[in-house]
Amino acid sequence: MTAVSTTVHRILLALLAVTGVLVGSWAYFAPKHWYDTFPGLGLRWLPQLGPYNEHFVKDVGAFYLGLTVLSVCAFVYIANATLVRVAAGAWTVFNLLHLVFHVQMLHMYEPRDQVLNVIALSTVLLVSLALLLPQRAPTP
């Protein structure tokens, strides 16, 4: 299996942490706005999936923020390969199940939004999977 540098792992963790803090903060602290306007840029992907529920939306935000904390800890303690793998595993499980759900719901979207959903969710899944690659041993 290909080993990657700790710099690559830090970049992947940073990408996941940024995703987590942006989505998590938005959903938790502005739940109705997040529900009505996610993912932004004039797109609206949530209303067609069901009615607004503040409890559910805040739980989503809290979950993303929890994953952010895990990602930041793995970023700081990058030499702890177990912690990095735990972060990778947690994100991978979430991202895979999230993608599977949304693929089953693609019929609710216009073609442009179908493609963008698959691209966005596949990208974060690939980032979390890449984080599972072992770290290259540091050179003396």
Side-chain angles (χ1 to χ4, degrees):
M1 181 177 272
T2 303
V4 298
S5 71
T6 56
T7 301
V8 170
H9 275 170
R10 283 187 189 273
I11 291 167
L12 297 171
L13 286 163
L15 289 169
L16 292 171
V18 166
T19 298
V21 78
L22 291 175
V23 174
S25 296
W26 186 9
Y28 192 83
F29 296 107
K32 182 70 167 123
H33 184 264
W34 179 78
Y35 173 83
D36 288 338
T37 62
F38 183 84
L41 303 173
L43 303 174
R44 295 173 24 125
W45 290 353
L46 301 176
Q48 50 272 60
L49 296 175
Y52 172 72
N53 179 313
E54 183 177 4
H55 176 201
F56 172 73
V57 171
K58 288 189 115 163
D59 281 354
V60 168
F63 180 77
Y64 269 103
L65 291 171
L67 282 173
T68 299
V69 170
L70 179 58
S71 301
V72 170
C73 288
F75 183 95
V76 170
Y77 298 104
I78 196 73
N80 185 333
T82 300
L83 181 57
V84 173
R85 281 191 217 106
V86 168
W91 273 105
T92 298
V93 168
F94 170 69
N95 287 327
L96 176 62
L97 296 176
H98 194 191
L99 173 63
V100 167
F101 173 80
H102 281 280
V103 165
Q104 296 171 11
M105 297 296 122
L106 288 177
H107 65 279
M108 302 178 101
Y109 295 106
E110 298 296 321
R112 174 200 64 187
D113 293 322
Q114 291 173 347
V115 170
L116 291 173
N117 260 266
V118 172
I119 289 171
L121 295 173
S122 295
T123 299
V124 290
L125 175 59
L126 291 173
V127 168
S128 57
L129 283 168
L131 194 53
L132 287 168
L133 293 171
Q135 290 182 32
R136 188 178 310 134
T139 48

